[in-house]
Amino acid sequence: MSLSNSYAPWCPACKALQPIWSEFATWSEDLEIKVGAVDITESPGLSGRFMITALPTIFHVKDGIFRQYKGSRDREQFISFVEEKKWQQLETVSSWKAPDSVQMSVLAQFFRLSMVLRNVHTSLTEEYGVPVWGSYLLFILATVIIGALLGLLFVCCIDVCCAQKSGELPPEITKKDDDAAKKQSGDGKDDDEEKEEAEEQEEEEESAPKEKSSPEARKRRTRKAD
């Protein structure tokens, strides 16, 4: 079982709690607990894991279960909180906000990134004399360039995946295409054959009027009239 205090050096409430917390830490052996303190400016990842939105923040941990202490911040209350097991009355941190969950681990990385960017901004403005607006402009340009590169990489990945899928046609489509190709090749004829058929058709059309004007055709007409 342990109690951990998250603080920041610039926080007035944290400065007021520091001597009380140090005195309470001397009771750790008698209470059989571990007492610790975490500077979130040096460990921004922990700030993200525990979703610390107010300072100071005190957490009670036992058997991997986290509870947030919200009582009075004095030594007597801390001691009674442990001795009388008042921590059992507190609501545990939900599973989706548990510090050891995947989503909180990802959030911790974002907190670390924000601290890195903050340090870069401080270095540009204080060490290199870059104006504040110039530092912001550099961050904007870097964001646009990185976003464009990531977008280009994403589009290339999609093109590669789509090209592979389009090259592998379903068996039904390939079968239909094969049947259509066979049918077309069977029905197709050479140019010479097409010319011969056209000439035969013209000869038939020329002979048709002669048959109509012949005597036999006239006799057939009169028989049909009778």
Side-chain angles (χ1 to χ4, degrees), residues 84-161:
E84 298 176 12
K85 297 183 179 180
K86 292 182 179 179
W87 49 267
Q88 295 178 347
Q89 303 173 5
L90 297 179
E91 184 179 358
T92 60
V93 177
S94 58
S95 58
W96 71 273
K97 290 178 64 177
D100 55 350
S101 61
V102 177
Q103 57 271 19
M104 300 308 292
S105 300
V106 174
L107 186 61
Q109 299 302 323
F110 280 107
F111 272 71
R112 289 194 181 98
L113 178 61
S114 65
M115 186 58 65
V116 170
L117 295 177
R118 181 180 178 182
N119 293 334
V120 172
H121 172 72
T122 304
S123 299
L124 290 174
T125 54
E126 295 182 359
E127 295 181 8
Y128 296 98
V130 178
V132 176
W133 62 268
S135 177
Y136 290 156
L137 181 61
L138 291 175
F139 278 113
I140 292 172
L141 292 175
T143 303
V144 172
I145 293 172
I146 294 173
L149 292 176
L150 291 176
L152 181 61
L153 179 62
F154 182 70
V155 170
C156 292
C157 293
I158 292 178
D159 289 341
V160 172
C161 295

Side-chain angles (χ1 to χ4, degrees), residues 10 33 38 46 49 96 104 117 139 158 168 174 192 194 196 208:
W10 47 262
I33 63 171
V38 178
L46 293 177
R49 282 184 180 274
W96 71 273
M104 300 308 292
L117 295 177
F139 278 113
I158 292 178
E168 300 175 357
T174 54
D192 296 336
E194 291 179 357
E196 291 178 0

Side-chain angles (χ1 to χ4, degrees), residues 3 20 28 30 51 74 85 95 115 120 128 183 217:
L3 282 172
I20 300 173
S28 59
D30 297 334
M51 279 293 291
D74 56 75
K85 297 183 179 180
S95 58
M115 186 58 65
V120 172
Y128 296 98
K183 186 176 180 181

Side-chain angles (χ1 to χ4, degrees), residues 168-179:
E168 300 175 357
L169 295 175
E172 296 180 357
I173 297 177
T174 54
K175 186 177 180 181
K176 290 180 180 178
D177 293 340
D178 293 340
D179 294 341

